[in-house]
Amino acid sequence: MSERDAEMTVTVLGSGTSTGVPEYRCLCDTCQDARNNGSRNARTRPSIHVEIEGRFLQFDTGPNFLEQIDRNGIERIDSVIYTHCHADHISGTNDLVMPCRKQDMDMPIYGPDETMRVMQKNFDYMFSRDTYQGGGVAHLIPHSFSGRFEIDGLEVVPIPVLHGAVDTQGYRVGSLGYVPDVKVMPEASLALMEGVELLIIDGLSFNSRHPTHLCVAESIEISNSLDSPTTYLTHLAHRIDHRNFKEQCDQQNVDLPEHVELAFDGMKITV
Ligand SMILES: [Zn+2]
Ligand SMILES: [Zn+2]
Ligand SMILES: [Zn+2]
């Protein structure tokens, strides 16, 4: 069986934007709903976990990381792959101590050079065995890359994207494309995503003028141009509402195709 055909289970650990939803002290209708138990509008910071052929890949470790892996019953983490160094994607890194302790291992991490530099600065005590003293501290093993790389024989394809001033990557693993933070997808990057069957992509809001994130219409356009893979929008801000998303799209004159839906925390997709 080729990698492309390998069965993969993707768990959406977090589908929210950097503020999380509900937004602190926001009384909008969506945030109020998000405060109800079990609401799909309750969104933690963006992250996914991918299980493919006995390998367990974690994408980003934001501030909700530890609760996310516990709540979703994530059994194992073999490597962490970082999209970029914004706080909503890296600030839970210290909590890798629990998976490392349970698995009795150091944690290989992958990401853009800039992200590795910021991580070394923010979490310097996790990078050196001199300061690594058990008790609440895990040891990280950084890996940089230029272009595609392999983790335990599995090919990972970085997808360079524009997301403000920060060096940012999406990733392709087999038939999955994961691009949580993006404003502009260069043509060459789009080409790297050709043939994906599952796309999880930034769909922050309906605001097309946001400087660093796609709006829903732009995300749909990208999905359509990739031959309409099953697509889930993520990194969702508080105004996007699961209860009436179709109507919201109608109001915004956005044509919502059947292959595009909203992601939600705890969603599991098998491809
Ligand atoms: Zn709100
Ligand atoms: Zn970001
Ligand atoms: Zn983000």
Side-chain angles (χ1 to χ4, degrees):
M1 194 159 70
S2 77
E3 247 12 294
R4 272 183 62 84
D5 302 319
E7 184 165 293
M8 165 173 14
T9 302
V10 180
T11 306
V12 176
L13 299 177
S15 59
T17 189
S18 57
T19 56
V21 180
E23 267 192 14
Y24 174 59
R25 293 185 63 180
C26 181
L27 297 177
C28 82
D29 197 42
T30 318
C31 287
Q32 290 293 52
D33 177 69
R35 293 185 179 98
N36 297 326
N37 236 341
S39 167
R40 283 195 177 176
N41 286 322
R43 303 172 187 131
T44 58
R45 267 52 74 84
S47 174
I48 62 168
H49 181 88
V50 176
E51 185 184 345
I52 177 166
E53 301 246 288
R55 304 175 189 89
F56 298 81
L57 307 180
Q58 173 69 27
F59 288 81
D60 294 328
T61 53
N64 306 111
F65 167 64
L66 192 57
E67 294 87 346
Q68 288 172 333
I69 57 170
D70 188 64
R71 194 187 317 135
N72 288 282
I74 301 303
E75 293 165 38
R76 195 180 164 80
I77 295 174
D78 294 323
S79 301
V80 185
I81 302 170
Y82 289 96
T83 55
H84 64 307
C85 61
H86 280 158
D88 52 326
H89 299 259
I90 68 167
S91 67
T93 298
N94 189 70
D95 283 333
L96 282 168
V97 66
M98 283 317 294
C100 286
R101 191 183 289 175
K102 296 284 184 195
Q103 297 166 197
D104 192 22
M105 65 181 270
D106 297 335
M107 187 58 71
I109 62 170
Y110 298 79
D113 289 344
E114 181 187 21
T115 300
M116 292 293 114
R117 279 198 301 277
V118 170
M119 301 271 292
Q120 299 237 12
K121 197 168 140 218
N122 292 10
F123 305 102
D124 65 320
Y125 59 92
M126 301 182 78
F127 284 82
S128 161
R129 281 215 166 268
D130 297 337
T131 51
Y132 169 56
Q133 298 155 343
V137 178
H139 187 228
L140 306 179
I141 306 164
H143 295 268
S144 62
F145 52 76
S146 57
R148 50 190 75 205
F149 59 98
E150 280 192 7
I151 296 179
D152 190 19
L154 176 74
E155 186 181 66
V156 179
V157 184
I159 312 288
V161 297
L162 303 182
H163 171 54
V166 173
D167 185 1
T168 304
Q169 304 288 329
Y171 291 97
R172 177 179 185 156
V173 179
S175 57
L176 163 72
Y178 180 56
V179 195
D181 292 57
V182 50
K183 179 61 187 179
V184 177
M185 181 88 83
E187 280 299 321
S189 297
L190 212 51
L192 292 170
M193 301 269 277
E194 235 164 69
V196 293
E197 288 161 34
L198 173 62
L199 176 66
I200 303 177
I201 190 166
D202 193 348
L204 181 82
S205 70
F206 288 105
N207 177 12
S208 62
R209 290 183 302 278
H210 194 285
T212 57
H213 288 277
L214 292 173
C215 67
V216 170
E218 291 168 326
S219 315
I220 291 172
E221 203 180 305
I222 289 172
S223 174
N224 289 344
S225 75
L226 285 170
D227 214 13
S228 307
T230 302
T231 300
Y232 295 100
L233 306 183
T234 191
H235 216 295
L236 305 172
H238 66 143
R239 301 282 180 182
I240 301 281
D241 197 316
H242 271 276
R243 295 168 302 171
N244 59 351
F245 183 56
K246 178 85 187 93
E247 289 72 39
Q248 288 186 314
C249 286
D250 289 345
Q251 280 162 17
Q252 301 284 336
N253 290 318
V254 171
D255 187 14
L256 180 67
E258 269 184 22
H259 62 93
V260 178
E261 290 178 39
L262 299 177
F264 57 89
D265 287 27
M267 171 183 236
K268 269 190 201 294
I269 312 146
T270 300
V271 232

